[in-house]
Amino acid sequence: MDITELSKKILQADRRALARAITLVESARADHRAQADALLSELAKSDRQALRIGLSGTPGVGKSTFIEAFGMMLIEQGLRVAVLAVDPSSARSGGSILGDKTRMERLSRERAAFIRPSPSQSHLGGVARRTRDAVALCEAAGFDVVLIETVGVGQSETVVSELSDLFLLLLAPAGGDELQGVKRGIMEIADMILINKADGDLKATATRTCADYAGALRLLRKRPQDPEGFPKALTVSAIEAAGLDQAWEEIQALAGWRRENGFWDKNRAQQAQYWFAEEVRQALLSRLQTSWAKSRMADLSAQVAGGAQTPQDAARDMLLGLGVGDVDPSGAP
């Protein structure tokens, strides 16, 4: 693959080249990883930035419907929108449905939109391991807004905050769990809570649910990266496209305030540090996937099971065999 030519096409907003590049960065093959790293380094010189918006919510809350309606509204305003949707992978077969594109039929037909579903594989936190690389590729391709839809599993999806500039949490009216607003975890990283399906018979219920969450958010400790009034809760209807304009205005206001007060650049710098540490962790874990490591793990595991070694001693032997050095498993050198 000609990395220079591929890079040039991505910078020219070639959608097919962008799709090929995302396939490349998602590959686990060693030769593909080397090409992907070279491509990302080349594209980083363009220094293009998009507004990265993470979005999560429980299954059935209407994430895909919201993204389609929200994306269509942004396109009508002259913006280019990329959607990176992460689907859960089966723990047994490893497969994913990857049906987000079919659920966003109108948006998928727009030339100003790009939709890419990806499997989460074994990566925890609601996003795929290479989603960050896919975001960087979309930015280089000149998209104005990148929407990152997580798998929608609940409280554990905090990794998305390390990918996005703003994080939206989509909730359904009368979910029976309004007091979850005071819990830590995913609620603590949300910049805005959107109560979807605020239409028809559920409109009044959505308004009450919104008030409950607004009250709960006031109990959380104020974060330095938030101006007065944030985080906040709003009602929206993806089906009727109601409240989307207000949500976009609030998103722009928050993003603008963070840019002006230095939190935007600070946040991105901290995210870069996080992904550096994550790359080191993943590289070390990959050394456990070699045939020698698997065989040695099986031998040591049998010794531990038979009482011939303690777990601590076996772990030390394993680390020494990997060339990590004389490291105590507890963390002390």
Side-chain angles (χ1 to χ4, degrees):
M1 186 178 296
D2 189 335
I3 296 301
T4 302
E5 183 64 23
L6 185 61
S7 172
K8 185 186 300 182
K9 288 183 177 180
I10 291 172
L11 292 173
Q12 294 171 351
D14 186 315
R15 293 154 59 90
R16 183 170 296 181
L18 175 58
R20 288 181 62 203
I22 293 178
T23 299
L24 179 66
V25 300
E26 289 180 344
S27 174
R29 279 177 44 174
D31 56 336
H32 287 175
R33 283 308 318 155
Q35 290 180 318
D37 292 343
L39 176 63
L40 291 167
S41 297
E42 182 69 24
L43 291 174
K45 300 172 184 176
S46 68
D47 200 28
R48 292 179 178 176
Q49 286 192 349
L51 176 58
R52 306 172 181 173
I53 302 176
L55 188 138
S56 185
T58 53
V61 76
K63 294 190 296 295
S64 296
T65 307
F66 171 82
I67 289 175
E68 180 171 56
F70 191 64
M72 292 297 293
M73 181 199 69
L74 296 179
I75 289 173
E76 289 171 2
Q77 296 184 17
L79 300 176
R80 298 179 67 227
V81 180
V83 178
L84 301 175
V86 182
D87 266 13
S89 296
S90 168
R92 293 187 177 183
S93 67
S96 294
I97 296 175
L98 303 179
D100 297 85
K101 202 163 185 176
T102 61
R103 292 196 295 266
M104 305 177 196
E105 186 178 353
R106 285 189 305 147
L107 190 62
S108 64
R109 292 198 299 262
E110 292 289 335
R111 291 190 60 82
F114 177 83
I115 303 174
R116 175 68 180 225
S118 299
S120 64
Q121 297 174 329
S122 60
H123 194 70
L124 301 179
V127 296
R129 181 185 173 190
R130 295 299 173 186
T131 300
R132 179 179 180 272
D133 295 340
V135 171
L137 291 171
C138 291
E139 286 187 312
F143 285 94
D144 302 296
V145 179
V146 179
L147 296 169
I148 309 158
E149 179 191 357
T150 71
V151 298
V153 294
Q155 293 281 347
S156 66
E157 292 182 88
T158 53
V159 176
V160 71
S161 66
E162 302 296 344
L163 291 168
S164 53
D165 301 310
L166 285 85
F167 178 57
L168 310 181
L169 181 59
L170 212 61
L171 298 173
D177 216 9
E178 283 79 0
L179 293 181
Q180 291 284 23
V182 299
K183 279 196 172 183
R184 299 312 187 204
I186 196 168
M187 295 294 303
E188 196 173 37
I189 65 172
D191 295 303
M192 289 177 61
I193 294 177
L194 302 178
I195 312 301
N196 193 25
K197 304 184 179 180
D199 47 60
D201 296 338
L202 288 175
K203 189 169 185 178
T205 306
T207 302
R208 290 194 300 270
T209 303
C210 182
D212 290 336
Y213 276 105
L217 287 172
R218 285 194 288 271
L219 298 177
L220 295 177
R221 180 173 56 87
K222 183 173 174 58
R223 306 175 303 182
Q225 71 268 31
D226 293 332
E228 191 64 34
F230 282 90
K232 62 175 55 180
L234 300 172
T235 58
V236 297
S237 170
I239 292 178
E240 296 182 352
L244 300 182
D245 287 332
Q246 182 186 359
W248 177 235
E249 288 174 5
E250 298 289 0
I251 288 170
Q252 288 180 296
L254 178 58
W257 185 88
R258 286 180 176 174
R259 284 181 184 273
E260 293 171 2
N261 289 274
F263 290 105
W264 178 283
D265 292 333
K266 182 180 178 182
N267 181 51
R268 291 216 168 184
Q270 290 174 342
Q271 289 177 350
Q273 291 177 320
Y274 171 88
W275 289 106
F276 156 68
E278 184 64 17
E279 285 294 322
V280 173
R281 282 191 291 268
Q282 292 298 329
L284 291 174
L285 287 173
S286 68
R287 297 175 68 175
L288 295 176
Q289 301 305 312
T290 63
S291 57
W292 177 88
K294 290 179 179 178
S295 176
R296 183 60 176 158
M297 283 284 286
D299 291 341
L300 290 172
S301 180
Q303 292 180 35
V304 170
Q309 282 212 72
T310 65
Q312 293 83 357
D313 288 339
R316 185 177 292 106
D317 287 350
M318 187 68 205
L319 292 172
L320 286 170
L322 289 171
V324 175
D326 190 9
V327 178
D328 190 317
S330 66

